């Protein structure tokens, strides 16, 4: 009986650890394989991406602003 309980505990622990490893490795599997093959990693520039996003936001805000209608100026008669 104790051998069945210990087997169940160790099998459950093994299953949880295998799931944890698979869950962390699976999203990056293509990058891992590329590194093992010796292929160079693409350059990632998060600040450049952030600058482009900020510019887009600024342009959208500027374009969304309503422009005041200029009243015609009354010229004084000389």
């Amino acid at each position: 009986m104790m051998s069945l309980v210990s087997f169940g505990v160790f099998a459950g622990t093994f299953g949880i650890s295998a799931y944890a490893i698979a869950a962390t490795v699976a999203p990056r599997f293509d990058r891992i394989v590329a590194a093992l093959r010796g292929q160079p990693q693409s350059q990632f520039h998060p600040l450049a991406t952030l600058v482009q996003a900020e510019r887009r936001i600024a342009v959208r805000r500027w374009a969304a602003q309503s422009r005041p209608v200029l009243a015609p100026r009354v010229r004084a008669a000389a």
Side-chain angles (χ1 to χ4, degrees), residues 31 34-43:
R31 294 178 71 185
L36 291 174
R37 289 182 180 170
Q39 297 172 345
Q41 186 177 5
S42 63
Q43 297 295 326

Side-chain angles (χ1 to χ4, degrees), residues 45-64:
H45 302 287
L47 292 179
T49 306
L50 180 64
V51 168
Q52 290 174 352
E54 290 290 334
R55 285 183 186 156
R56 281 195 304 265
I57 292 169
V59 167
R60 287 179 184 159
R61 285 183 182 164
W62 176 77

